[in-house]
């Protein structure tokens, strides 16, 4: 071998070694050089798998726990030829990025959306505030909103005599990562459940795996098929907003309990502190003149009995109607219907509340809707069930 041949071989080996260091999904990309320059500048890793290209997760030198819920934003309306080399500088300007996941297509272009997780919650809020409608290209505006990391499943077809502990035990036998089971007592008979429950999992991934396993035809519970789908998620409420809430949500009331009885019970600690009570079937909203009175009543009455039923009392969670509609649009692939004269905030605690404030039952996802419609009507006006189902179809 000549010296010239030896030099050529060494150059070839060097080039091969350099190529081997380029991560899968980056090698051969039309903007490979720009992506490599980004990785060199920031020290973040990048790898493509399962239809997404992940930048970071964790970032270099990260030693803390995984960021808490509420640290991730959804980014939509991304031009299909815009990649991390353009996105990262925009989103790192408002906070430290923990991870950016860009959804990728088989043709090497992006799918028009991404998820950006920040190290801290306040950074995610700033991203929504400052980067929604950011002009990434002339005339092309990004859509940025809070990501809903749903960890809750809806399970229908549960025998009505089953208690919470029995449901929890059964679900935990067949799925992993179960944290809690939320069961609603029947409005007419507190010894029965309403035929469905919500199962809370430790992560979105655990919930997704459980949903796949529980799909009809794959497994039976209590000897028969069940219905399973994503539940209406709890949309995070800003802590500053929650600090102003002076409305209590009271659940598990008896149907015959009156608004006057509720007002008297919750106003016993400070006469005149309750402005009004709105009761819907077996739950109610109690409006106070001050937050201090609301918190005092909650602390003293949660878990106590009223007319033979154990009360569950929490602060009502106000959800901005625009935020809820954005979530519905993303989840359903279209706009959510809105009733006229809705309040700026919807005090959301369960789907019954959403219906009360003007959101139609057909805004609910999957099988949830049918269960809520049937349960609501059967326990109040049984003869109206067929009419109502047609009206909301």
């Amino acid at each position: 071998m000549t010296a010239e041949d030896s030099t050529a071989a060494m150059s070839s080996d060097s080039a091969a070694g350099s190529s081997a260091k380029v991560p899968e999904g980056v090698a051969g990309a039309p903007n490979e050089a720009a992506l490599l320059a980004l990785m060199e500048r920031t020290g973040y890793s990048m790898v493509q798998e399962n239809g997404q290209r992940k930048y970071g997760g964790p970032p270099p030198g990260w030693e803390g726990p995984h960021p808490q819920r509420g640290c991730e934003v959804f980014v939509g309306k991304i031009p299909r030829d815009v990649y991390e080399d353009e996105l990262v500088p925009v989103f790192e300007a408002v906070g430290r990025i923990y991870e950016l996941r860009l959804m990728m297509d088989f043709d090497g272009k992006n799918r028009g959306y991404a998820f950006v997780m920040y190290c801290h919650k306040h950074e995610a809020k700033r991203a929504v505030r400052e980067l929604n409608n950011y002009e990434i290209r002339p005339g092309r505006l990004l859509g940025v909103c809070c990501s809903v990391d749903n960890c809750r499943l809806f399970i229908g077809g549960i025998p009505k005599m089953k208690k919470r502990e029995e449901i929890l035990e059964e679900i935990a036998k067949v799925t992993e990562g179960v944290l809690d089971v939320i069961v609603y007592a029947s409005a007419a008979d507190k010894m029965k459940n309403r035929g469905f429950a919500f199962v809370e999992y430790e992560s979105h991934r655990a919930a997704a795996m459980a949903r796949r396993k529980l799909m009809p035809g794959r497994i039976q519970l209590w000897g028969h098929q069940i219905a399973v789908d994503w539940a209406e998620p709890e949309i995070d409420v800003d802590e500053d907003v929650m600090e102003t809430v002076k409305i209590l949500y009271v659940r598990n009331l008896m149907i015959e309990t009156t608004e006057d009885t509720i007002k008297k019970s919750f106003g016993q600690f400070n006469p005149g502190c309750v402005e009004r009570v709105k009761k819907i079937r077996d739950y109610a909203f109690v409006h106070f003149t001050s937050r201090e009175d609301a918190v005092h009543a909650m602390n003293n009455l949660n878990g106590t009995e009223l007319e033979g039923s154990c009360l569950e009392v929490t602060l009502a969670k106000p959800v901005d109607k625009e935020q809820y509609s954005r979530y519905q649009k993303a989840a359903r692939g279209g706009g959510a219907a809105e009733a006229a004269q809705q309040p700026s905030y919807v005090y959301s605690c369960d789907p019954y509340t959403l219906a009360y404030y003007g959101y139609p039952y057909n805004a609910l996802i999957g099988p949830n809707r049918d269960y809520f419609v049937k349960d609501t009507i059967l326990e109040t006006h049984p003869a109206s069930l067929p009419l109502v189902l047609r009206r909301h179809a």
Side-chain angles (χ1 to χ4, degrees), residues 117-129:
M117 181 176 290
Y118 286 93
C119 295
H120 303 287
K121 200 170 182 178
H122 68 87
E123 296 168 327
K125 291 179 181 178
R126 184 183 174 192
V128 173
R129 188 170 60 249

Side-chain angles (χ1 to χ4, degrees), residues 190-206:
K190 297 301 181 184
M191 297 302 293
K192 296 180 180 180
N193 68 65
R194 292 181 177 173
F196 60 84
F198 298 101
V199 184
E200 189 81 20
Y201 287 86
E202 63 186 12
S203 67
H204 176 76
R205 175 178 172 79

Side-chain angles (χ1 to χ4, degrees), residues 18-305:
S18 175
S19 176
K21 294 178 182 177
V22 179
E24 184 178 350
V26 175
N31 62 335
E32 177 182 333
L35 295 178
L36 291 174
L38 171 66
M39 294 166 63
E40 184 176 357
R41 175 179 71 82
T42 63
Y44 280 64
S45 61
M46 193 180 297
V47 62
Q48 183 166 327
E49 57 185 6
N50 300 325
Q52 61 182 353
R53 194 156 60 202
K54 187 171 74 170
Y55 167 85
W62 181 264
E63 295 182 354
H66 189 277
Q68 66 180 125
R69 190 174 180 180
C71 290
E72 188 175 73
V73 299
F74 171 82
V75 185
K77 298 189 290 186
I78 302 174
R80 296 198 65 204
D81 59 347
V82 166
Y83 302 100
E84 293 89 345
D85 56 302
E86 291 184 68
L87 292 171
V88 168
V90 172
F91 285 90
E92 70 180 0
V94 299
R96 188 184 183 194
I97 295 174
Y98 178 86
E99 174 184 273
L100 185 152
R101 294 180 292 121
L102 181 63
M103 303 301 119
M104 301 296 293
D105 231 330
F106 293 110
D107 61 2
K109 293 184 177 180
N110 78 64
R111 296 171 62 187
Y113 66 98
F115 296 89
V116 181
M117 181 176 290
Y118 286 93
C119 295
H120 303 287
K121 200 170 182 178
H122 68 87
E123 296 168 327
K125 291 179 181 178
R126 184 183 174 192
V128 173
R129 188 170 60 249
E130 297 184 14
L131 299 180
N132 186 38
N133 292 323
Y134 178 87
E135 191 172 26
I136 190 76
R137 293 273 180 86
R140 302 296 298 274
L141 307 180
L142 297 178
V144 181
C145 63
C146 293
S147 173
V148 181
D149 187 14
N150 200 352
C151 300
R152 184 176 294 184
L153 293 183
F154 168 88
I155 309 290
I158 294 175
K160 292 196 173 183
M161 294 306 297
K162 295 294 181 183
K163 305 298 182 187
R164 175 189 170 278
E165 292 74 17
E166 296 176 284
I167 299 169
L168 177 61
E169 181 181 2
E170 188 73 11
I171 298 294
K173 283 181 184 177
V174 295
T175 62
E176 297 180 359
V178 178
L179 290 182
D180 193 17
V181 170
I182 303 164
V183 182
Y184 289 81
S186 168
D189 185 350
K190 297 301 181 184
M191 297 302 293
K192 296 180 180 180
N193 68 65
R194 292 181 177 173
F196 60 84
F198 298 101
V199 184
E200 189 81 20
Y201 287 86
E202 63 186 12
S203 67
H204 176 76
R205 175 178 172 79
M209 297 296 288
R211 177 176 176 269
R212 185 181 303 175
K213 189 171 184 179
L214 295 172
M215 291 298 284
R218 296 191 176 186
I219 198 170
Q220 290 188 343
L221 295 182
W222 301 287
H224 64 266
Q225 296 287 347
I226 58 168
V228 60
D229 210 329
W230 293 107
E232 288 283 298
E234 284 192 309
I235 299 177
D236 282 339
V237 182
D238 190 282
E239 293 174 4
D240 294 336
V241 173
M242 282 303 298
E243 287 294 327
T244 68
V245 172
K246 52 183 181 178
I247 302 173
L248 294 184
Y249 171 67
V250 186
R251 191 158 77 87
N252 205 36
L253 291 161
M254 301 296 285
I255 287 229
E256 57 269 22
T257 299
T258 66
E259 291 181 350
D260 284 341
T261 298
I262 298 169
K263 186 172 184 178
K264 182 178 179 181
S265 176
F266 280 79
Q268 64 181 289
F269 307 105
N270 184 11
C273 68
V274 176
E275 291 182 337
R276 63 188 176 94
V277 175
K278 180 60 181 178
K279 181 173 185 279
I280 310 100
R281 300 175 71 242
D282 63 338
Y283 65 95
F285 289 95
V286 184
H287 298 246
F288 287 80
T289 56
S290 73
R291 177 180 172 83
E292 290 72 24
D293 286 328
V295 171
H296 183 68
M298 176 181 69
N299 291 338
N300 281 276
L301 294 176
N302 183 41
T304 64
E305 281 196 6

